Amino acid sequence: MLNPPIRTVLDRLYDRYGRPEYSGPDDLLGTLVRTILSQNTNRQNTDRSFARLMDTFGGDWQRIAEAPTEAVVDAIEIGGLARQKAPRIQSILRDVRREHGQYSLEHLRDEGVDEAQSYLESFKGVGPKTAKFTLMYAGGMPVFPMDTHILRLCERLGWTDPKAGSRQAHDFMEPRIPQDEHYAAHIVMIRHGRQTCHARSPDCSDCTLLDLCPYGQNHS
Ligand code: SF4
C-alpha cells in the first residue's frame, strides 16, 4: 500500500473539490486531435486552436487531411508548436482513413483498453498521456492519464520517483487508482495542482494534504 494511502488522499480532495462525475462519451478522433493540440499549451489556447482548425476547414477531417500543411499550421498557430503538430495531425488523419475507410476512431470502443492504447501510441506524437486522455475523456475507458499537475503531486506526496519518466509513472499509478475513480481522481488532482499545489510556491499552509505530504512538511 502506498504511503500516504491513496484512499485518504482522494477522499480529502473530494471533500475539498467535490467528486466529479464523468460527463459521457465524445468523438474519439476529435478528442485525439484536440489532445494533440493541447500539448505544451494551456486550456485557453487549446480551445482557440481547435476552434480555429474546425472553423477554417468547416469541421471536415478530409479537408484538413488534404490541405497544404502550411494552411493547417496557420489555423493552429495560436496553440504553439504548430509546425510539429500540423503534420502529425494530418498524418494521423490519413492513416486512420487508409486503415479504416473513414475518419473515425469509434472502432476503438470495441477493443480492449491495452489494444486501443497501443493503437493510438503507434502514431507519431502520441505518447501514454495523450492516448489515455483520449480514451478516458472520449471513451470512458478505465485509464488514468497523468498531466503535469498530477505528476508533480504524485512526486511531492512521495508516490512516484521524480526521475521516473511519464510512462513509468503511468504504469505505476494507474493500477493503484480504483478503476471506477479514474476520471474523478484525475479531475480533482489536476484541480489541486492548479489551485494549491503550484509548480512554484505551492500553497502548503492552506493544503488539505499537508499532514500527509513529505514535500509540504519539509518546505513549510
Ligand atoms: S502540502 Fe504542499 S506540496 Fe504537498 S500536496 Fe499540498 S500544496 Fe502540494
Side-chain angles (χ1 to χ4, degrees):
M1 191 171 90
L2 288 182
N3 190 28
I6 283 180
R7 181 74 275 141
T8 309
V9 168
L10 291 181
D11 286 344
R12 295 246 191 120
L13 294 177
Y14 296 150
D15 281 348
R16 175 111 183 197
Y17 303 107
R19 181 167 167 166
E21 293 289 334
Y22 178 59
S23 55
D26 202 349
D27 172 52
L28 282 158
L29 183 57
T31 303
L32 175 63
V33 170
R34 195 180 184 290
T35 308
I36 290 169
L37 291 173
S38 76
Q39 293 169 351
N40 293 92
T41 193
N42 59 33
R43 199 165 32 175
Q44 192 179 40
N45 283 344
T46 302
D47 290 344
R48 283 183 185 160
S49 59
F50 186 72
R52 182 107 198 280
L53 180 67
M54 293 294 109
D55 286 349
T56 303
F57 298 99
D60 184 336
W61 295 123
Q62 183 162 350
R63 283 182 59 198
I64 297 171
E66 295 175 354
T69 301
E70 207 55 39
V72 180
V73 169
D74 284 349
I76 66 173
E77 202 160 24
I78 193 166
L81 298 179
R83 295 204 171 278
Q84 196 178 79
K85 293 172 183 175
R88 287 179 178 177
I89 289 168
Q90 288 187 298
S91 169
I92 289 170
L93 292 173
R94 290 184 201 126
D95 286 353
V96 167
R97 171 77 170 80
R98 189 176 56 248
E99 289 166 16
H100 302 286
Q102 55 185 337
Y103 292 101
S104 170
L105 288 173
E106 296 305 301
H107 65 280
L108 294 179
R109 297 187 197 280
D110 300 326
E111 295 185 11
V113 174
D114 291 345
E115 290 78 11
Q117 188 175 324
S118 297
Y119 176 75
L120 293 181
E121 286 190 38
S122 70
F123 295 123
K124 191 171 181 186
V126 179
K129 185 176 81 175
T130 297
K132 287 176 190 289
F133 257 92
T134 303
L135 294 174
M136 186 193 75
Y137 275 102
M141 292 187 185
V143 288
F144 182 66
M146 298 173 72
D147 79 337
T148 181
H149 299 290
I150 299 178
L151 287 167
R152 184 172 67 247
L153 179 59
C154 289
E155 288 166 14
R156 287 176 173 173
L157 288 170
W159 287 344
T160 53
D161 184 343
K163 294 191 209 91
S166 168
R167 186 177 299 281
Q168 280 173 291
H170 277 96
D171 287 348
F172 182 78
M173 289 305 301
E174 187 169 276
R176 289 169 170 80
I177 304 285
Q179 268 200 14
D180 61 349
E181 293 181 56
H182 280 154
Y183 178 80
H186 170 87
I187 297 293
V188 290
M189 289 170 83
I190 289 180
R191 206 164 283 169
H192 193 62
R194 287 196 178 125
Q195 294 186 16
T196 305
C197 193
H198 314 290
R200 288 184 195 169
S201 308
D203 196 359
C204 299
S205 60
D206 186 39
C207 178
T208 185
L209 304 178
L210 178 57
D211 62 311
L212 303 169
C213 178
Y215 182 101
Q217 285 167 30
N218 287 334
H219 290 80
S220 55

